[in-house]
Amino acid sequence: MNRPTDPTTSNEKKKLTDQILSLTRALPLRAPLVHVIPNGVSAAFCADVMAAAGARPVMADYAGETEEITAHSCAFVANMGQPSPEKEAAVRASLKAAAEHQIPAVLDPVGAGASAYRLRAISPLLQLPWNGILKGNASEIQTLQDAVLTHQGVDAEGISPEKLSVRPPKQGRVLAVTGPCDRIVGHDREVILSHIVPRSRPIVGTGCAAGCLCGCFAALTEDLFSACAAALSFWGFVQSQAEDSGGYGSCRIRLLDLLSDPDLDAFVLYLDSTLNLVKGVSD
């Protein structure tokens, strides 16, 4: 027997859906400048994704200028793929600038559990006083929480975001755990985004692009939870629409076309099917 729908939960879901749609419409109109210290493997694709969605990406990774560039941006995204001492210094400078100028930041701890060096590089960055979104797959988040290496790569499998025991994020931050579903955890809200179509096509850079979109949407609002939900649900929707686009190259192009000209009526139906409120503000 189906349980009756809780009116409070329904109202909270509708409110979040409305916020997501509002932010999605606003992104190309406001065209925020978003500074990204990228992963070299996916930098060009991420720049295209951000531009197609309506943001203005700037990518600089020299520590001598990253602080200045972040200070004049609307949001900052740090992708820790391909780490190096030089990249650590650049990210650290930008996170400090983001904190000083109250600019939202996104930290994507790519492959955090793949090596001891990566864990040592990323862990101190979490202690800096920035506000924003920590976005990673379940393996990466588990590594950061437990400080235990998994020796899995950036596309680690076998850990479900739903089953991962997560600690509440620091005040001023939102936790996004991505995978077969996406789990977004705030201080007073939590949602699960259950994808309609399994995102099985191995397009290189889709995870990195998700982090960049989180930065684009965070630039639009102080409500980082809604920004994160908008970014990941919009990206999940676009990927579901591009699943039957032919070969690898055609799918990449289709993703960019859908970002620049989305069917928002279809997006509403997607949100109705995929957005599951676990914890609402009234709980």
Side-chain angles (χ1 to χ4, degrees), residues 187-224:
H187 291 278
D188 54 9
R189 287 179 285 178
E190 181 177 342
V191 297
I192 299 288
L193 301 172
S194 302
H195 310 301
I196 295 175
V197 178
R199 297 177 298 181
S200 57
R201 190 181 297 276
I203 302 295
V204 173
T206 52
C208 297
C212 289
L213 286 173
C214 284
C216 295
F217 281 92
L220 305 176
T221 177
E222 294 182 358
D223 185 350
L224 296 174

Coordinates of all heavy atoms in Angstrom, one line a residue, residues 187-224:
H187 N 22.7 21.8 5.9 CA 22.5 21.8 7.4 C 21.1 21.5 7.8 O 20.8 20.9 8.8 CB 23.0 23.1 8.0 CG 24.5 23.3 7.9 ND1 25.4 22.7 8.8 CD2 25.2 24.0 7.0 CE1 26.6 23.1 8.5 NE2 26.5 23.8 7.4
D188 N 20.2 21.9 6.9 CA 18.8 21.7 7.3 C 18.0 21.0 6.2 O 16.7 20.9 6.2 CB 18.1 23.0 7.6 CG 18.3 24.1 6.5 OD1 18.8 23.7 5.4 OD2 17.9 25.2 6.8
R189 N 18.7 20.6 5.1 CA 18.0 20.0 4.0 C 18.9 18.8 3.4 O 20.1 18.9 3.5 CB 17.7 21.0 2.9 CG 16.6 21.9 3.2 CD 16.4 22.9 2.1 NE 17.4 24.0 2.0 CZ 17.5 24.9 1.1 NH1 16.6 25.0 0.1 NH2 18.4 25.8 1.2
E190 N 18.2 17.9 2.8 CA 18.9 16.8 2.1 C 18.0 16.3 0.9 O 16.9 16.1 1.1 CB 19.3 15.7 3.0 CG 20.1 14.6 2.3 CD 20.6 13.5 3.2 OE1 20.6 13.7 4.4 OE2 20.9 12.4 2.7
V191 N 18.6 16.1 -0.2 CA 17.9 15.6 -1.4 C 18.7 14.5 -2.0 O 19.9 14.5 -2.0 CB 17.4 16.6 -2.4 CG1 16.5 17.7 -1.8 CG2 18.7 17.3 -3.0
I192 N 18.0 13.6 -2.7 CA 18.6 12.6 -3.5 C 18.1 12.8 -5.0 O 16.8 13.0 -5.2 CB 18.2 11.1 -3.1 CG1 18.7 10.8 -1.7 CG2 18.8 10.1 -4.1 CD1 20.2 10.7 -1.6
L193 N 19.0 12.9 -5.9 CA 18.6 13.0 -7.3 C 18.8 11.6 -8.0 O 19.9 11.2 -8.2 CB 19.4 14.1 -8.0 CG 19.4 15.5 -7.5 CD1 20.4 16.4 -8.2 CD2 18.0 16.1 -7.7
S194 N 17.7 11.0 -8.2 CA 17.7 9.6 -8.8 C 17.6 9.8 -10.3 O 16.5 10.2 -10.8 CB 16.6 8.8 -8.3 OG 16.6 8.7 -6.9
H195 N 18.6 9.4 -11.1 CA 18.6 9.6 -12.5 C 17.7 8.6 -13.2 O 17.7 7.4 -12.9 CB 20.0 9.4 -13.0 CG 21.0 10.2 -12.3 ND1 20.9 11.6 -12.2 CD2 22.1 9.8 -11.6 CE1 22.0 12.0 -11.4 NE2 22.7 11.0 -11.1
I196 N 16.9 9.1 -14.1 CA 15.9 8.3 -14.9 C 16.7 7.3 -15.8 O 16.4 6.2 -15.9 CB 15.0 9.2 -15.7 CG1 14.1 10.1 -14.8 CG2 14.1 8.4 -16.6 CD1 13.3 11.1 -15.5
V197 N 17.6 7.9 -16.5 CA 18.4 7.0 -17.4 C 19.8 6.9 -16.9 O 20.5 7.9 -16.5 CB 18.5 7.7 -18.8 CG1 19.3 6.9 -19.8 CG2 17.1 7.9 -19.4
P198 N 20.3 5.6 -16.7 CA 21.7 5.5 -16.2 C 22.7 6.2 -17.1 O 22.6 6.0 -18.4 CB 21.9 3.9 -16.3 CG 20.5 3.4 -16.3 CD 19.6 4.4 -17.0
R199 N 23.5 7.0 -16.5 CA 24.5 7.7 -17.3 C 25.7 6.9 -17.6 O 26.7 7.0 -17.0 CB 24.8 9.0 -16.6 CG 23.6 9.9 -16.4 CD 23.9 11.2 -15.7 NE 24.3 10.9 -14.3 CZ 24.6 11.8 -13.4 NH1 24.6 13.1 -13.7 NH2 25.0 11.4 -12.2
S200 N 25.5 6.0 -18.6 CA 26.6 5.0 -18.8 C 27.6 5.4 -19.8 O 28.7 4.8 -19.8 CB 25.9 3.7 -19.2 OG 25.1 3.9 -20.4
R201 N 27.3 6.4 -20.6 CA 28.3 6.7 -21.7 C 29.5 7.4 -21.0 O 29.4 8.4 -20.3 CB 27.6 7.7 -22.6 CG 28.5 8.0 -23.9 CD 27.8 8.9 -24.8 NE 26.5 8.4 -25.3 CZ 26.4 7.6 -26.4 NH1 27.5 7.3 -27.0 NH2 25.2 7.2 -26.8
P202 N 30.7 6.9 -21.3 CA 31.9 7.3 -20.6 C 32.5 8.6 -21.2 O 33.6 8.6 -21.7 CB 32.8 6.1 -20.7 CG 32.5 5.5 -22.0 CD 31.0 5.7 -22.1
I203 N 31.8 9.7 -21.1 CA 32.3 10.9 -21.6 C 33.3 11.5 -20.6 O 33.0 11.8 -19.5 CB 31.2 12.0 -21.9 CG1 30.1 11.4 -22.9 CG2 31.7 13.3 -22.4 CD1 30.6 11.1 -24.2
V204 N 34.5 11.7 -21.1 CA 35.6 12.2 -20.2 C 35.2 13.6 -19.8 O 35.0 14.5 -20.7 CB 37.0 12.1 -20.9 CG1 38.0 12.8 -20.0 CG2 37.4 10.7 -21.1
G205 N 35.2 13.9 -18.5 CA 35.1 15.3 -18.0 C 33.7 15.6 -17.5 O 33.5 16.7 -17.1
T206 N 32.7 14.7 -17.6 CA 31.4 15.0 -17.1 C 31.4 15.3 -15.6 O 30.6 16.2 -15.1 CB 30.4 13.9 -17.4 OG1 30.9 12.6 -17.0 CG2 30.2 13.8 -18.9
G207 N 32.2 14.6 -14.8 CA 32.3 14.8 -13.4 C 32.9 16.2 -13.1 O 32.4 16.9 -12.2
C208 N 33.9 16.5 -13.8 CA 34.6 17.8 -13.7 C 33.6 19.0 -14.1 O 33.5 20.0 -13.4 CB 35.8 17.9 -14.5 SG 37.1 16.8 -14.1
A209 N 32.8 18.7 -15.1 CA 31.8 19.7 -15.6 C 30.8 19.9 -14.5 O 30.3 21.0 -14.4 CB 31.2 19.3 -16.9
A210 N 30.4 18.9 -13.8 CA 29.4 19.0 -12.8 C 29.9 20.0 -11.7 O 29.1 20.8 -11.2 CB 29.1 17.6 -12.2
G211 N 31.1 19.9 -11.3 CA 31.7 20.8 -10.3 C 31.7 22.2 -10.9 O 31.4 23.2 -10.1
C212 N 32.0 22.4 -12.1 CA 32.0 23.7 -12.7 C 30.6 24.3 -12.7 O 30.5 25.5 -12.5 CB 32.6 23.7 -14.1 SG 34.4 23.4 -14.1
L213 N 29.6 23.5 -13.1 CA 28.3 24.0 -13.1 C 27.8 24.4 -11.7 O 27.1 25.4 -11.5 CB 27.3 23.0 -13.7 CG 27.4 22.8 -15.2 CD1 26.6 21.7 -15.7 CD2 27.0 24.1 -15.9
C214 N 28.3 23.7 -10.7 CA 28.0 24.1 -9.3 C 28.5 25.5 -9.0 O 27.8 26.3 -8.4 CB 28.6 23.1 -8.3 SG 27.8 21.5 -8.2
G215 N 29.7 25.8 -9.5 CA 30.2 27.1 -9.4 C 29.4 28.2 -10.1 O 29.1 29.3 -9.6
C216 N 28.9 27.8 -11.3 CA 28.1 28.8 -12.1 C 26.8 29.1 -11.4 O 26.4 30.3 -11.3 CB 27.8 28.1 -13.4 SG 29.2 27.9 -14.5
F217 N 26.1 28.1 -10.8 CA 24.9 28.4 -10.1 C 25.1 29.0 -8.7 O 24.3 29.8 -8.3 CB 24.1 27.0 -10.0 CG 23.4 26.6 -11.2 CD1 24.0 25.8 -12.2 CD2 22.1 27.1 -11.5 CE1 23.3 25.4 -13.3 CE2 21.4 26.8 -12.6 CZ 22.0 25.9 -13.6
A218 N 26.2 28.7 -8.1 CA 26.5 29.3 -6.8 C 26.7 30.8 -6.9 O 26.5 31.5 -6.0 CB 27.7 28.6 -6.1
A219 N 27.2 31.2 -8.1 CA 27.4 32.6 -8.4 C 26.1 33.4 -8.4 O 26.1 34.7 -8.3 CB 28.1 32.8 -9.7
L220 N 25.0 32.7 -8.5 CA 23.7 33.4 -8.6 C 22.9 33.7 -7.3 O 22.0 34.5 -7.3 CB 22.8 32.6 -9.6 CG 23.3 32.3 -11.0 CD1 22.3 31.4 -11.7 CD2 23.7 33.5 -11.8
T221 N 23.3 33.0 -6.3 CA 22.5 33.0 -5.1 C 23.3 32.7 -3.8 O 24.3 32.0 -3.9 CB 21.3 32.0 -5.2 OG1 20.6 32.0 -4.0 CG2 21.9 30.6 -5.4
E222 N 22.8 33.2 -2.7 CA 23.4 32.9 -1.4 C 23.0 31.5 -0.9 O 23.6 30.9 0.0 CB 23.1 33.9 -0.4 CG 23.8 35.3 -0.7 CD 23.5 36.3 0.4 OE1 22.8 36.0 1.3 OE2 24.0 37.5 0.3
D223 N 21.9 31.0 -1.5 CA 21.4 29.7 -1.1 C 22.2 28.6 -1.8 O 21.8 28.1 -2.9 CB 19.9 29.6 -1.5 CG 19.2 28.3 -1.0 OD1 19.9 27.4 -0.6 OD2 18.0 28.2 -1.1
L224 N 23.2 28.2 -1.2 CA 24.2 27.2 -1.9 C 23.5 25.9 -2.1 O 23.9 25.1 -3.0 CB 25.5 27.1 -1.1 CG 26.3 28.4 -1.0 CD1 27.5 28.3 -0.1 CD2 26.8 28.9 -2.4

